[in-house]
Amino acid sequence: MVSVLALLVLVITNSFAIEKHFCGDNLITSSVFAELEKCSGCLDPDDVTNIIDHCCKDVIDVQEGQDATTAKKIDDLDVGQQVFLVAFGNAFFSLFQPDSKRPENSLHYDPPTISFDLQSCYQIYLI
């Protein structure tokens, strides 16, 4: 449970950028972590480093992560939320209670007495 919450905090606080390459009005490539690949129609055949401005454009969307996390106490919640939280916690943790090992009616069970030896009666012997 703690590891899931730690992972959630890590994901929320990370920032990343989504890069998109458009040729005209068409989306050619998009990338989150890697370098964008430029389309071949946007490159000037004389100079490979220059991109023709009227054809292509790059758009970068930056998704900012949360800078500060706030911790709330149970006193900050209203009464209805507190009741729900306590009832949910009680119901959730009652799922993981161990079952009783023996049924209640077999606590004082006496096994039946053996009146004769079955191995001798049926002449079955272990070698």
Side-chain angles (χ1 to χ4, degrees), residues 12-77:
I12 288 173
T13 56
N14 275 344
S15 299
F16 60 93
I18 301 173
E19 300 181 30
K20 299 175 188 174
H21 179 72
F22 289 94
C23 189
D25 290 334
N26 298 328
L27 177 65
I28 303 300
T29 58
S30 63
S31 174
V32 177
F33 297 112
E35 186 75 24
L36 275 178
E37 296 179 12
K38 308 295 183 189
C39 62
S40 61
C42 294
L43 297 176
D44 188 6
D46 297 328
D47 189 8
V48 179
T49 58
N50 291 333
I51 296 175
I52 301 172
D53 292 332
H54 70 279
C55 176
C56 296
K57 64 180 176 178
D58 292 330
V59 176
I60 300 174
D61 295 330
V62 178
Q63 301 294 327
E64 291 291 330
Q66 188 176 0
D67 290 338
T69 57
T70 58
K72 287 190 170 187
K73 297 179 185 175
I74 196 164
D75 297 334
D76 296 339
L77 302 173

Side-chain angles (χ1 to χ4, degrees), residues 1 4 9 14 16 31 40 45 56 64-65 78 90 92 112 115 120 123:
M1 184 75 168
V4 172
V9 169
N14 275 344
F16 60 93
S31 174
S40 61
C56 296
E64 291 291 330
D78 63 355
N90 188 15
F92 180 75
S115 58
S120 298
Q123 297 181 0

